[in-house]
Every structure is written in C-alpha cells, then in structure tokens.
Amino acid sequence: MDYEQDYIMRMVRDMARMIGKMLLGRENPEYVLPEKEDAYGESDRMYLHLTALADAGEINQAENELSDDLEGGSGRSGELSTALGFYMHINEFSNDFLDEHDYSREEIYQGVEDLSARFGVSGLNIHLPN
C-alpha cells in the first residue's frame, strides 16, 4: 500500500512539473511567495489561505474554494500557479494525515489532472495502479 501511495505521489509531482513547464515556463511548479508581505498579490493571498486550510485538515474545503475560484477566474497564469502550488503542497502530506482528514492521494492526482484539462493540456494519460 505504501509503495502504491509513493508511486501516486511521484506521478502527481511529475505531472505538475510537466504542466508547470508547458504552461508557466518553469521547471518547478511549487509556489514561491514574494519575500516581502507587502508585495503579495491576490494569488499569493489565495495560496496562503488555501494552504492554511489544508494544514488545518480542511483539505476538502480548500479544494472546493480553489475550484470555485478557478470557475470564476480568468484563466490567468497566476491562477494556475496557485492551483499547482496547492496540489504540490498537499501532495507532501503524509498518507496518515490525508486519511485522517478524509482525503486521498488519488484525489490529489485527479485534481492535477482536472487542472491540466482546464488549462488546455490534454493527453496526460498516466494510469494509476488499481
């Protein structure tokens, strides 16, 4: 079971890197905040809000808010960067933490896959283990 979860974790990381490289032009899809808080923009504040919710165990709520934000968004790269950063952040949670908060690594994978489709990247047919 742990091997399967580690495999999914790597698949999420690889898929996020591919999306980040294709759409954001950067190798690392992890979210990088400006050094000074007064330079934070809307995307930075959203990222901090979502990750704070997730860190508190409210992963489903955070993902729902992200989805709502993307639905009403403009499709800008800042939104993609925030979403990829969020999924990379929760992908680092332990399997136990995810289980305790009724979330799965497969949901993270599905979120990144849905995100890629939303931003026009299709054909990333990477199959998860059964």
Side-chain angles (χ1 to χ4, degrees), residues 76-126:
R76 293 185 324 254
S77 65
E79 293 168 353
L80 174 60
S81 184
T82 299
L84 274 178
F86 169 74
Y87 284 114
M88 292 296 292
H89 180 82
I90 64 174
N91 194 44
E92 294 303 317
F93 289 158
S94 72
N95 295 332
D96 290 338
F97 185 83
L98 292 171
D99 289 342
E100 288 170 19
H101 299 287
D102 196 31
Y103 206 82
S104 70
R105 202 142 317 270
E106 290 83 1
E107 288 176 282
I108 299 170
Y109 176 88
Q110 186 63 54
V112 174
E113 192 172 60
D114 293 347
L115 185 63
S116 70
R118 177 183 300 273
F119 282 86
V121 177
S122 60
L124 297 179
N125 296 336
I126 302 170

CSV table of all heavy atoms in Angstrom, one decimal, residues 76-126:
chain,number,residue,atom,x,y,z
A,76,ARG,N,-5.9,33.1,-15.9
A,76,ARG,CA,-4.5,33.6,-15.9
A,76,ARG,C,-3.5,32.7,-15.3
A,76,ARG,O,-3.9,31.7,-14.6
A,76,ARG,CB,-4.5,34.9,-15.1
A,76,ARG,CG,-5.3,36.1,-15.7
A,76,ARG,CD,-5.1,37.3,-14.9
A,76,ARG,NE,-5.0,37.0,-13.4
A,76,ARG,CZ,-5.9,37.3,-12.5
A,76,ARG,NH1,-7.1,37.8,-12.9
A,76,ARG,NH2,-5.8,37.0,-11.3
A,77,SER,N,-2.3,32.9,-15.6
A,77,SER,CA,-1.2,32.0,-15.1
A,77,SER,C,-1.1,32.1,-13.6
A,77,SER,O,-0.7,31.1,-13.0
A,77,SER,CB,0.1,32.4,-15.8
A,77,SER,OG,0.5,33.7,-15.4
A,78,GLY,N,-1.5,33.2,-13.0
A,78,GLY,CA,-1.5,33.2,-11.5
A,78,GLY,C,-2.4,32.2,-10.9
A,78,GLY,O,-2.1,31.7,-9.9
A,79,GLU,N,-3.5,32.0,-11.5
A,79,GLU,CA,-4.5,31.0,-11.0
A,79,GLU,C,-3.9,29.6,-11.2
A,79,GLU,O,-4.1,28.8,-10.3
A,79,GLU,CB,-5.8,31.2,-11.8
A,79,GLU,CG,-6.5,32.4,-11.5
A,79,GLU,CD,-7.7,32.7,-12.4
A,79,GLU,OE1,-7.9,32.0,-13.4
A,79,GLU,OE2,-8.4,33.7,-12.2
A,80,LEU,N,-3.3,29.4,-12.3
A,80,LEU,CA,-2.7,28.1,-12.5
A,80,LEU,C,-1.5,27.8,-11.5
A,80,LEU,O,-1.4,26.8,-10.9
A,80,LEU,CB,-2.1,27.9,-13.9
A,80,LEU,CG,-1.3,26.7,-14.2
A,80,LEU,CD1,-2.2,25.4,-14.0
A,80,LEU,CD2,-0.8,26.7,-15.6
A,81,SER,N,-0.7,28.9,-11.3
A,81,SER,CA,0.4,28.8,-10.4
A,81,SER,C,-0.1,28.5,-9.0
A,81,SER,O,0.4,27.7,-8.2
A,81,SER,CB,1.2,30.1,-10.4
A,81,SER,OG,2.3,30.0,-9.6
A,82,THR,N,-1.2,29.2,-8.6
A,82,THR,CA,-1.8,29.0,-7.2
A,82,THR,C,-2.3,27.5,-7.1
A,82,THR,O,-2.0,26.9,-6.1
A,82,THR,CB,-2.9,29.9,-7.0
A,82,THR,OG1,-2.4,31.3,-7.0
A,82,THR,CG2,-3.6,29.7,-5.7
A,83,ALA,N,-3.0,27.1,-8.1
A,83,ALA,CA,-3.6,25.7,-8.0
A,83,ALA,C,-2.5,24.7,-8.0
A,83,ALA,O,-2.6,23.7,-7.2
A,83,ALA,CB,-4.6,25.5,-9.2
A,84,LEU,N,-1.5,24.8,-8.9
A,84,LEU,CA,-0.4,23.8,-8.9
A,84,LEU,C,0.3,23.8,-7.6
A,84,LEU,O,0.7,22.7,-7.1
A,84,LEU,CB,0.6,24.1,-10.0
A,84,LEU,CG,0.3,23.6,-11.4
A,84,LEU,CD1,1.3,24.0,-12.4
A,84,LEU,CD2,0.1,22.0,-11.4
A,85,GLY,N,0.6,25.0,-7.1
A,85,GLY,CA,1.2,25.1,-5.8
A,85,GLY,C,0.5,24.4,-4.7
A,85,GLY,O,1.0,23.8,-3.8
A,86,PHE,N,-0.9,24.6,-4.7
A,86,PHE,CA,-1.7,24.0,-3.7
A,86,PHE,C,-1.6,22.5,-3.8
A,86,PHE,O,-1.4,21.8,-2.8
A,86,PHE,CB,-3.2,24.4,-3.9
A,86,PHE,CG,-4.2,23.7,-3.1
A,86,PHE,CD1,-4.3,23.9,-1.7
A,86,PHE,CD2,-5.0,22.7,-3.7
A,86,PHE,CE1,-5.2,23.1,-1.0
A,86,PHE,CE2,-5.9,21.9,-2.9
A,86,PHE,CZ,-6.0,22.2,-1.6
A,87,TYR,N,-1.7,21.9,-5.0
A,87,TYR,CA,-1.7,20.5,-5.1
A,87,TYR,C,-0.3,19.9,-4.8
A,87,TYR,O,-0.2,18.9,-4.2
A,87,TYR,CB,-2.1,20.0,-6.5
A,87,TYR,CG,-3.6,20.1,-6.7
A,87,TYR,CD1,-4.2,21.0,-7.5
A,87,TYR,CD2,-4.4,19.3,-5.9
A,87,TYR,CE1,-5.6,21.1,-7.7
A,87,TYR,CE2,-5.8,19.3,-6.0
A,87,TYR,CZ,-6.4,20.2,-6.9
A,87,TYR,OH,-7.8,20.3,-7.0
A,88,MET,N,0.8,20.7,-5.1
A,88,MET,CA,2.1,20.2,-4.7
A,88,MET,C,2.2,20.3,-3.2
A,88,MET,O,2.8,19.4,-2.6
A,88,MET,CB,3.2,21.1,-5.3
A,88,MET,CG,3.3,21.0,-6.8
A,88,MET,SD,3.8,19.4,-7.4
A,88,MET,CE,5.5,19.4,-6.8
A,89,HIS,N,1.6,21.3,-2.5
A,89,HIS,CA,1.7,21.4,-1.1
A,89,HIS,C,1.0,20.2,-0.4
A,89,HIS,O,1.6,19.5,0.5
A,89,HIS,CB,1.0,22.7,-0.6
A,89,HIS,CG,1.0,22.9,0.8
A,89,HIS,ND1,2.1,23.4,1.5
A,89,HIS,CD2,0.1,22.7,1.8
A,89,HIS,CE1,1.8,23.5,2.8
A,89,HIS,NE2,0.6,23.1,3.0
A,90,ILE,N,-0.2,19.9,-0.8
A,90,ILE,CA,-1.0,18.8,-0.2
A,90,ILE,C,-0.4,17.4,-0.6
A,90,ILE,O,-0.6,16.5,0.2
A,90,ILE,CB,-2.5,18.9,-0.4
A,90,ILE,CG1,-2.9,18.7,-1.8
A,90,ILE,CG2,-3.0,20.2,0.2
A,90,ILE,CD1,-4.4,18.6,-2.1
A,91,ASN,N,0.3,17.4,-1.7
A,91,ASN,CA,0.9,16.1,-2.1
A,91,ASN,C,2.0,15.7,-1.1
A,91,ASN,O,2.4,14.6,-1.0
A,91,ASN,CB,1.5,16.2,-3.5
A,91,ASN,CG,1.8,14.9,-4.1
A,91,ASN,OD1,1.1,13.9,-4.0
A,91,ASN,ND2,3.0,14.8,-4.8
A,92,GLU,N,2.6,16.7,-0.4
A,92,GLU,CA,3.6,16.4,0.6
A,92,GLU,C,3.1,15.9,1.9
A,92,GLU,O,3.9,15.5,2.8
A,92,GLU,CB,4.5,17.7,0.8
A,92,GLU,CG,5.3,18.1,-0.5
A,92,GLU,CD,6.2,17.0,-1.0
A,92,GLU,OE1,6.9,16.3,-0.1
A,92,GLU,OE2,6.2,16.7,-2.2
A,93,PHE,N,1.8,16.0,2.1
A,93,PHE,CA,1.2,15.5,3.4
A,93,PHE,C,1.4,14.0,3.5
A,93,PHE,O,1.5,13.3,2.5
A,93,PHE,CB,-0.3,15.8,3.4
A,93,PHE,CG,-0.7,17.2,3.7
A,93,PHE,CD1,-1.9,17.6,3.3
A,93,PHE,CD2,0.2,18.1,4.2
A,93,PHE,CE1,-2.3,18.9,3.5
A,93,PHE,CE2,-0.2,19.4,4.4
A,93,PHE,CZ,-1.4,19.8,4.0
A,94,SER,N,1.5,13.5,4.7
A,94,SER,CA,1.7,12.1,4.9
A,94,SER,C,0.4,11.3,4.5
A,94,SER,O,-0.7,11.9,4.6
A,94,SER,CB,2.1,11.8,6.3
A,94,SER,OG,1.0,12.0,7.2
A,95,ASN,N,0.5,10.1,4.2
A,95,ASN,CA,-0.7,9.3,3.9
A,95,ASN,C,-1.6,9.3,5.2
A,95,ASN,O,-2.8,9.3,5.0
A,95,ASN,CB,-0.3,7.9,3.6
A,95,ASN,CG,0.5,7.8,2.3
A,95,ASN,OD1,0.3,8.7,1.4
A,95,ASN,ND2,1.3,6.8,2.1
A,96,ASP,N,-1.0,9.2,6.4
A,96,ASP,CA,-1.9,9.2,7.6
A,96,ASP,C,-2.6,10.5,7.7
A,96,ASP,O,-3.8,10.5,8.1
A,96,ASP,CB,-1.0,9.0,8.8
A,96,ASP,CG,-0.4,7.6,8.9
A,96,ASP,OD1,-1.0,6.7,8.3
A,96,ASP,OD2,0.6,7.4,9.6
A,97,PHE,N,-2.0,11.6,7.5
A,97,PHE,CA,-2.7,12.9,7.6
A,97,PHE,C,-3.8,13.0,6.6
A,97,PHE,O,-4.9,13.4,6.9
A,97,PHE,CB,-1.7,14.1,7.3
A,97,PHE,CG,-2.3,15.4,7.5
A,97,PHE,CD1,-2.4,16.0,8.8
A,97,PHE,CD2,-2.8,16.2,6.4
A,97,PHE,CE1,-2.9,17.3,9.0
A,97,PHE,CE2,-3.3,17.4,6.6
A,97,PHE,CZ,-3.4,18.0,7.9
A,98,LEU,N,-3.6,12.6,5.3
A,98,LEU,CA,-4.6,12.6,4.3
A,98,LEU,C,-5.8,11.7,4.8
A,98,LEU,O,-7.0,12.1,4.7
A,98,LEU,CB,-4.1,12.1,3.0
A,98,LEU,CG,-3.1,13.0,2.3
A,98,LEU,CD1,-2.5,12.4,1.1
A,98,LEU,CD2,-3.7,14.4,1.9
A,99,ASP,N,-5.5,10.5,5.2
A,99,ASP,CA,-6.5,9.6,5.7
A,99,ASP,C,-7.3,10.1,6.9
A,99,ASP,O,-8.6,10.1,6.9
A,99,ASP,CB,-5.9,8.2,6.2
A,99,ASP,CG,-5.4,7.4,5.0
A,99,ASP,OD1,-5.8,7.7,3.8
A,99,ASP,OD2,-4.6,6.5,5.2
A,100,GLU,N,-6.6,10.8,7.8
A,100,GLU,CA,-7.3,11.4,9.0
A,100,GLU,C,-8.3,12.5,8.6
A,100,GLU,O,-9.2,12.7,9.3
A,100,GLU,CB,-6.3,12.0,9.9
A,100,GLU,CG,-5.5,10.9,10.7
A,100,GLU,CD,-4.3,11.6,11.5
A,100,GLU,OE1,-4.3,12.8,11.7
A,100,GLU,OE2,-3.4,10.8,11.8
A,101,HIS,N,-8.0,13.1,7.4
A,101,HIS,CA,-8.8,14.2,7.0
A,101,HIS,C,-9.7,13.9,5.8
A,101,HIS,O,-10.1,14.8,5.0
A,101,HIS,CB,-8.0,15.5,6.8
A,101,HIS,CG,-7.3,15.8,8.1
A,101,HIS,ND1,-8.0,16.4,9.2
A,101,HIS,CD2,-6.0,15.7,8.6
A,101,HIS,CE1,-7.2,16.6,10.2
A,101,HIS,NE2,-6.0,16.2,9.9
A,102,ASP,N,-9.9,12.6,5.6
A,102,ASP,CA,-10.8,12.1,4.6
A,102,ASP,C,-10.5,12.6,3.2
A,102,ASP,O,-11.3,13.2,2.4
A,102,ASP,CB,-12.3,12.5,4.9
A,102,ASP,CG,-13.3,11.8,4.1
A,102,ASP,OD1,-13.0,10.6,3.7
A,102,ASP,OD2,-14.4,12.3,3.8
A,103,TYR,N,-9.2,12.5,2.9
A,103,TYR,CA,-8.7,12.9,1.5
A,103,TYR,C,-7.7,11.8,1.1
A,103,TYR,O,-7.1,11.1,1.9
A,103,TYR,CB,-8.0,14.2,1.6
A,103,TYR,CG,-8.0,15.0,0.3
A,103,TYR,CD1,-9.1,15.7,0.0
A,103,TYR,CD2,-6.9,15.0,-0.5
A,103,TYR,CE1,-9.1,16.4,-1.2
A,103,TYR,CE2,-6.9,15.7,-1.7
A,103,TYR,CZ,-8.1,16.4,-2.1
A,103,TYR,OH,-8.1,17.1,-3.3
A,104,SER,N,-7.6,11.7,-0.2
A,104,SER,CA,-6.7,10.6,-0.7
A,104,SER,C,-5.7,11.2,-1.7
A,104,SER,O,-5.9,12.2,-2.3
A,104,SER,CB,-7.5,9.5,-1.4
A,104,SER,OG,-8.1,10.0,-2.6
A,105,ARG,N,-4.6,10.4,-1.9
A,105,ARG,CA,-3.6,10.8,-2.9
A,105,ARG,C,-4.2,10.7,-4.3
A,105,ARG,O,-3.9,11.5,-5.1
A,105,ARG,CB,-2.4,9.8,-2.7
A,105,ARG,CG,-1.2,10.5,-3.3
A,105,ARG,CD,0.1,10.3,-2.6
A,105,ARG,NE,0.2,10.3,-1.2
A,105,ARG,CZ,0.6,11.4,-0.5
A,105,ARG,NH1,0.7,12.6,-1.1
A,105,ARG,NH2,0.8,11.3,0.8
A,106,GLU,N,-5.2,9.8,-4.5
A,106,GLU,CA,-5.8,9.7,-5.8
A,106,GLU,C,-6.6,11.0,-6.1
A,106,GLU,O,-6.7,11.4,-7.2
A,106,GLU,CB,-6.8,8.5,-5.8
A,106,GLU,CG,-6.1,7.2,-5.8
A,106,GLU,CD,-5.7,6.7,-4.5
A,106,GLU,OE1,-5.9,7.3,-3.4
A,106,GLU,OE2,-5.0,5.6,-4.4
A,107,GLU,N,-7.2,11.6,-5.0
A,107,GLU,CA,-7.9,12.9,-5.2
A,107,GLU,C,-6.9,14.0,-5.6
A,107,GLU,O,-7.3,14.9,-6.4
A,107,GLU,CB,-8.7,13.3,-4.0
A,107,GLU,CG,-9.9,12.4,-3.7
A,107,GLU,CD,-10.5,12.8,-2.4
A,107,GLU,OE1,-10.0,12.4,-1.3
A,107,GLU,OE2,-11.6,13.5,-2.4
A,108,ILE,N,-5.7,14.0,-5.1
A,108,ILE,CA,-4.7,14.9,-5.5
A,108,ILE,C,-4.4,14.8,-7.0
A,108,ILE,O,-4.4,15.7,-7.7
A,108,ILE,CB,-3.4,14.8,-4.6
A,108,ILE,CG1,-3.8,15.1,-3.2
A,108,ILE,CG2,-2.4,15.8,-5.1
A,108,ILE,CD1,-2.6,14.7,-2.2
A,109,TYR,N,-4.2,13.5,-7.3
A,109,TYR,CA,-3.9,13.2,-8.7
A,109,TYR,C,-5.0,13.7,-9.6
A,109,TYR,O,-4.8,14.3,-10.7
A,109,TYR,CB,-3.7,11.7,-8.9
A,109,TYR,CG,-3.5,11.3,-10.4
A,109,TYR,CD1,-2.2,11.3,-10.9
A,109,TYR,CD2,-4.5,10.9,-11.2
A,109,TYR,CE1,-2.0,10.9,-12.2
A,109,TYR,CE2,-4.3,10.6,-12.5
A,109,TYR,CZ,-3.1,10.6,-13.0
A,109,TYR,OH,-2.9,10.3,-14.3
A,110,GLN,N,-6.2,13.4,-9.2
A,110,GLN,CA,-7.4,13.8,-10.0
A,110,GLN,C,-7.5,15.3,-10.1
A,110,GLN,O,-7.8,15.8,-11.2
A,110,GLN,CB,-8.7,13.2,-9.5
A,110,GLN,CG,-9.9,13.4,-10.3
A,110,GLN,CD,-9.8,12.8,-11.7
A,110,GLN,OE1,-9.6,11.6,-11.7
A,110,GLN,NE2,-10.0,13.5,-12.7
A,111,GLY,N,-7.2,16.0,-9.1
A,111,GLY,CA,-7.2,17.4,-9.1
A,111,GLY,C,-6.2,18.0,-10.1
A,111,GLY,O,-6.5,19.0,-10.8
A,112,VAL,N,-5.0,17.5,-10.1
A,112,VAL,CA,-4.0,17.9,-11.0
A,112,VAL,C,-4.4,17.6,-12.5
A,112,VAL,O,-4.2,18.4,-13.4
A,112,VAL,CB,-2.6,17.4,-10.7
A,112,VAL,CG1,-1.6,17.7,-11.8
A,112,VAL,CG2,-2.1,17.9,-9.3
A,113,GLU,N,-5.0,16.4,-12.6
A,113,GLU,CA,-5.4,16.0,-14.0
A,113,GLU,C,-6.5,17.0,-14.5
A,113,GLU,O,-6.5,17.4,-15.6
A,113,GLU,CB,-5.9,14.6,-14.0
A,113,GLU,CG,-6.1,14.0,-15.3
A,113,GLU,CD,-6.4,12.5,-15.2
A,113,GLU,OE1,-7.4,12.1,-14.6
A,113,GLU,OE2,-5.6,11.8,-15.8
A,114,ASP,N,-7.5,17.3,-13.6
A,114,ASP,CA,-8.6,18.2,-13.9
A,114,ASP,C,-8.0,19.6,-14.2
A,114,ASP,O,-8.5,20.3,-15.1
A,114,ASP,CB,-9.6,18.3,-12.8
A,114,ASP,CG,-10.4,17.0,-12.6
A,114,ASP,OD1,-10.3,16.1,-13.5
A,114,ASP,OD2,-11.1,16.9,-11.5
A,115,LEU,N,-7.1,20.0,-13.4
A,115,LEU,CA,-6.4,21.3,-13.6
A,115,LEU,C,-5.8,21.4,-15.0
A,115,LEU,O,-5.9,22.4,-15.7
A,115,LEU,CB,-5.4,21.6,-12.5
A,115,LEU,CG,-4.7,22.9,-12.5
A,115,LEU,CD1,-5.7,24.0,-12.2
A,115,LEU,CD2,-3.6,22.9,-11.4
A,116,SER,N,-5.1,20.3,-15.4
A,116,SER,CA,-4.4,20.3,-16.7
A,116,SER,C,-5.4,20.5,-17.8
A,116,SER,O,-5.2,21.2,-18.8
A,116,SER,CB,-3.6,19.1,-16.9
A,116,SER,OG,-4.4,17.9,-17.0
A,117,ALA,N,-6.6,19.8,-17.7
A,117,ALA,CA,-7.6,19.8,-18.7
A,117,ALA,C,-8.2,21.3,-18.8
A,117,ALA,O,-8.5,21.8,-19.8
A,117,ALA,CB,-8.7,18.8,-18.5
A,118,ARG,N,-8.4,21.9,-17.6
A,118,ARG,CA,-9.0,23.2,-17.5
A,118,ARG,C,-8.1,24.2,-18.2
A,118,ARG,O,-8.6,25.2,-18.8
A,118,ARG,CB,-9.1,23.6,-16.1
A,118,ARG,CG,-9.7,25.0,-15.9
A,118,ARG,CD,-9.7,25.4,-14.4
A,118,ARG,NE,-10.6,24.6,-13.6
A,118,ARG,CZ,-11.9,24.7,-13.5
A,118,ARG,NH1,-12.5,25.7,-14.1
A,118,ARG,NH2,-12.6,23.9,-12.7
A,119,PHE,N,-6.8,24.0,-18.2
A,119,PHE,CA,-5.9,25.0,-18.8
A,119,PHE,C,-5.4,24.5,-20.2
A,119,PHE,O,-4.4,25.0,-20.7
A,119,PHE,CB,-4.7,25.3,-17.9
A,119,PHE,CG,-5.1,26.2,-16.8
A,119,PHE,CD1,-5.7,25.8,-15.6
A,119,PHE,CD2,-4.9,27.6,-17.0
A,119,PHE,CE1,-6.0,26.7,-14.6
A,119,PHE,CE2,-5.3,28.5,-16.0
A,119,PHE,CZ,-5.8,28.0,-14.8
A,120,GLY,N,-6.1,23.5,-20.7
A,120,GLY,CA,-5.8,23.1,-22.1
A,120,GLY,C,-4.8,22.1,-22.4
A,120,GLY,O,-4.3,21.9,-23.5
A,121,VAL,N,-4.3,21.4,-21.3
A,121,VAL,CA,-3.3,20.3,-21.5
A,121,VAL,C,-4.1,19.0,-21.4
A,121,VAL,O,-4.6,18.6,-20.4
A,121,VAL,CB,-2.2,20.4,-20.4
A,121,VAL,CG1,-1.2,19.2,-20.6
A,121,VAL,CG2,-1.5,21.7,-20.5
A,122,SER,N,-4.1,18.3,-22.5
A,122,SER,CA,-4.8,17.0,-22.5
A,122,SER,C,-3.8,15.9,-23.0
A,122,SER,O,-2.7,16.2,-23.4
A,122,SER,CB,-6.0,17.1,-23.5
A,122,SER,OG,-5.6,17.3,-24.8
A,123,GLY,N,-4.3,14.7,-22.8
A,123,GLY,CA,-3.4,13.6,-23.2
A,123,GLY,C,-2.4,13.2,-22.2
A,123,GLY,O,-1.5,12.4,-22.6
A,124,LEU,N,-2.6,13.6,-21.0
A,124,LEU,CA,-1.6,13.1,-19.9
A,124,LEU,C,-2.2,11.9,-19.3
A,124,LEU,O,-2.5,11.8,-18.1
A,124,LEU,CB,-1.5,14.2,-18.8
A,124,LEU,CG,-0.9,15.5,-19.3
A,124,LEU,CD1,-0.8,16.5,-18.1
A,124,LEU,CD2,0.5,15.3,-19.9
A,125,ASN,N,-2.4,10.9,-20.1
A,125,ASN,CA,-3.0,9.6,-19.7
A,125,ASN,C,-2.0,8.8,-18.9
A,125,ASN,O,-1.4,7.8,-19.4
A,125,ASN,CB,-3.5,8.8,-20.9
A,125,ASN,CG,-4.6,9.6,-21.6
A,125,ASN,OD1,-5.3,10.4,-20.9
A,125,ASN,ND2,-4.9,9.3,-22.8
A,126,ILE,N,-1.7,9.1,-17.7
A,126,ILE,CA,-0.8,8.4,-16.8
A,126,ILE,C,-1.8,7.5,-15.9
A,126,ILE,O,-2.6,8.1,-15.2
A,126,ILE,CB,0.0,9.3,-16.0
A,126,ILE,CG1,0.9,10.2,-16.9
A,126,ILE,CG2,0.9,8.5,-15.0
A,126,ILE,CD1,1.6,11.3,-16.2
